[in-house]
Amino acid sequence: MSLLKEKLTQVLPGQISEISKFVKENGDKVVSQVTIAQVYGGMRGVKGLVCDTSEVPPDKGLIIRGIELKDLTDKTPEEIFWLLLTSELPNETELKDLQNELDARSEVPQYVWDVIDAMPADSHPMAMFNTAVLVMQRESVFAKRYTEGMKKPEYWEATLEDSLNIIAKLPAIGAYVYRKRYNKGPRIEPKKGVDWSENYVHMLGLGDPNGDFSKLMRLYLNLHSDHEGGNVSAYSAATINSALSDLYYSLSGGLNGLAGPLHGLANQECLGWILDVMEKFGGVPSKEDLEKFAWDTLNSGKVIPGYGHAVLRVVDPRFVAFRAFGHQYLSDDPVFQTVDLVFNVVPEVLKQVQKIKDPWPNVDAGSGALLYHYGLKEFSYYTVLFSISRALGIAAQAVIARAYGLPITRPKSLPTKEYMKLVQG
Ligand code: CMX
């Protein structure tokens, strides 16, 4: 048995009995009221979901299992995955064991490469990546064991198996999508004995002479892993998984949501916006030029990508971490300098637009410039990186949900005329 499964076998029963006691004793307590504005406003702020892996207080940003992100930026994604699942960081032996598990499960079936090869050459990388996840559904341990009559208390174990099997393969799949989609040459075989992020960098084939790109990749795959339960990708995946559709179906579904320009795809849009600015002004713009460009974007009815958030009301700590990396490793890079200037100018512009609730940068505002610096210049690819990371959170949330025995998700909808009647009393 893997040390991760052993740990979960120890910690889950206590959490499950605490929750069942809590619900039994407090089942009729009211925790949220819903206004008509919220019904027609994407359910903003409506408390009605549970997510124990992480939380996002509007004034703080991401907290994973009680630890603020700023205290986790030096961790590897594997450590974050362990933390999301178990509420503790792994010790050295546990981490090594998890990395060995991932190594052992990393071989991607040949048919996945064949399916990617068969897709039109101009497919979006997200369509290629999500198709690859979905096509592997036939490997699902959960689906197989479910048809064999698996008992409900075992659902989480089968979901953990699917999680490890999928996560182990994502760097190779993501790297191949990159090489295939942008004609970078043949697939590169994984390396043995390196961590998840370094292996991904190796398989992308862009080179990493001093190891800095692998450092960025560790940070990138760490920072995008989880963002509580109500964002589009996490919520969609959890809803699909609640129907006991296995993790291949639910992860692929959630990642399709991540492919939207208001969610994960914003990181590709964001670098595009920065490069447009630089092209227009022949390099790093002046403050005045940038301010005008921002207003032109807004006045043309477009959003400024990388700014604003549905929940956050402060600078996203994930942006803070990327910016710190930029200052440490590439402060001379003009694209990064432009990102930094945008951070100084755009919030002041957005503050003047009354309807915008959060004028601050989100996770997508700076990451593209860093990837660009290390030679990953095809920004339509960036959401694939986000997906590889977000798979950690989606998988962890699914394991926990199945351990808690949460039922199928089924909120209530009403026609507009019924809401009108309700309001009229
Ligand atoms: N530029 C221009 N307008 C913006 C804006 C921005 N960066 N952020 C918000 N607004 C607008 C909204 O489009 C909305 O306008 P309408 O009422 O005309 O539709 C209005 O301000 C109110 O929006 P809000 O309540 O402040 O924000 P929402 O919760 O509705 O939306 C988000 C949040 C992220 C979709 C929005 O801020 C946005 O579109 N930002 C740019 C895209 C982006 O960076 N997305 C990545 C988010 C990170 C992630 O993936 O989770």
Side-chain angles (χ1 to χ4, degrees):
M1 191 193 288
S2 71
L3 292 183
L4 179 56
K5 186 167 169 191
E6 217 171 86
K7 185 79 183 181
L8 283 166
T9 310
Q10 286 162 18
V11 300
L12 283 172
Q15 294 170 5
I16 294 165
S17 63
E18 188 187 9
I19 289 167
S20 92
K21 183 167 176 282
F22 172 69
V23 176
K24 209 168 161 189
E25 289 173 0
N26 299 285
D28 56 353
K29 302 270 164 56
V30 176
V31 292
S32 209
Q33 279 189 331
V34 186
T35 64
I36 290 293
Q38 287 171 311
V39 168
Y40 286 85
M43 293 191 280
R44 237 23 125 259
V46 176
K47 297 186 198 80
L49 300 170
V50 58
C51 174
D52 283 338
T53 54
S54 69
E55 58 191 301
V56 183
D59 61 340
K60 282 206 178 78
L62 180 60
I63 296 176
I64 297 181
R65 293 286 191 181
I67 308 177
E68 284 192 35
L69 189 70
K70 65 177 169 51
D71 300 322
L72 289 170
T73 50
D74 62 334
K75 303 295 176 223
T76 61
E78 295 93 311
E79 286 171 290
I80 297 288
F81 183 55
W82 185 290
L83 174 66
L84 286 164
L85 278 166
T86 67
S87 19
E88 288 169 25
L89 282 161
N91 61 32
E92 223 172 285
T93 315
E94 291 169 333
L95 176 61
K96 194 71 216 137
D97 190 73
L98 173 59
Q99 287 174 329
N100 289 342
E101 279 288 326
L102 294 176
D103 245 4
R105 296 164 190 253
S106 64
E107 193 172 332
V108 178
Q110 176 61 41
Y111 63 80
V112 175
W113 309 133
D114 296 342
V115 167
I116 294 173
D117 286 346
M119 291 183 78
D122 63 352
S123 301
H124 194 282
M126 281 297 285
M128 291 174 141
F129 185 76
N130 298 355
T131 301
V133 172
L134 183 61
V135 79
M136 289 195 295
Q137 189 279 333
R138 64 189 289 284
E139 315 292 332
S140 172
V141 173
F142 185 96
K144 181 167 177 290
R145 288 186 55 192
Y146 188 80
T147 52
E148 290 166 358
M150 166 174 58
K151 302 277 176 299
K152 204 170 173 184
E154 295 163 19
Y155 287 178
W156 73 265
E157 296 175 28
T159 306
L160 179 65
E161 285 298 309
D162 281 353
S163 301
L164 292 168
N165 286 335
I166 294 173
I167 289 166
K169 296 172 181 61
L170 294 183
I173 294 172
Y176 185 57
V177 166
Y178 177 70
R179 296 189 66 76
K180 174 82 194 164
R181 178 63 178 73
Y182 303 102
N183 301 314
K184 298 285 177 181
R187 187 161 51 80
I188 297 173
E189 289 298 325
K191 255 190 203 168
K192 286 283 166 211
V194 298
D195 70 22
W196 200 60
S197 315
E198 191 176 334
N199 220 344
Y200 182 31
V201 166
H202 159 72
M203 288 183 282
L204 283 169
L206 290 165
D208 185 20
N210 54 13
D212 288 353
F213 189 19
S214 294
K215 280 186 203 142
L216 172 63
M217 196 58 85
R218 271 180 211 109
L219 182 67
Y220 192 104
L221 298 176
N222 165 337
L223 295 183
H224 290 78
S225 64
D226 205 39
H227 217 227
E228 66 165 53
N231 65 77
V232 167
S233 48
Y235 180 57
S236 312
T239 301
I240 298 169
N241 199 253
S242 80
L244 302 186
S245 298
D246 60 61
L247 194 65
Y248 293 84
Y249 284 125
S250 48
L251 176 62
S252 176
L255 297 181
N256 290 335
L258 197 69
L262 296 188
H263 192 16
L265 204 77
N267 62 4
Q268 88 167 45
E269 312 261 314
C270 208
L271 185 59
W273 193 83
I274 298 283
L275 296 180
D276 284 351
V277 172
M278 295 182 72
E279 195 184 312
K280 177 151 186 188
F281 299 109
V284 184
S286 69
K287 255 183 137 178
E288 295 69 35
D289 285 342
L290 184 56
E291 201 175 312
K292 184 171 176 325
F293 193 89
W295 278 116
D296 288 347
T297 302
L298 293 172
N299 292 335
S300 69
K302 293 188 190 137
V303 297
I304 298 187
Y307 281 75
H309 201 270
V311 173
L312 285 173
R313 297 295 176 259
V314 287
V315 178
D316 190 330
R318 300 171 297 176
F319 173 80
V320 174
F322 278 134
R323 186 162 174 260
F325 186 97
H327 277 295
Q328 185 173 355
Y329 292 99
L330 46 127
S331 57
D332 293 340
D333 183 304
V335 182
F336 174 68
Q337 286 171 348
T338 306
V339 165
D340 223 23
L341 187 66
V342 171
F343 175 51
N344 287 320
V345 170
V346 163
E348 295 313 312
V349 171
L350 296 181
K351 279 180 198 169
Q352 295 173 53
V353 183
Q354 216 185 355
K355 66 177 181 180
I356 298 178
K357 297 190 191 70
D358 174 41
W360 300 113
N362 60 55
V363 65
D364 295 326
S367 55
L370 308 184
L371 297 169
Y372 199 77
H373 177 83
Y374 291 104
L376 193 48
K377 296 199 165 169
E378 297 79 5
F379 42 90
S380 59
Y381 179 73
Y382 292 171
T383 314
V384 172
L385 281 125
F386 196 153
S387 300
I388 293 175
S389 176
R390 183 50 59 91
L392 301 174
I394 287 177
Q397 290 193 25
V399 172
I400 300 297
R402 301 289 66 83
Y404 288 179
L406 298 182
I408 187 166
T409 306
R410 183 58 171 93
K412 180 77 184 126
S413 66
L414 289 177
T416 294
K417 62 177 173 21
E418 292 301 324
Y419 281 115
M420 287 174 170
K421 276 192 216 157
L422 273 176
V423 168
Q424 283 152 14

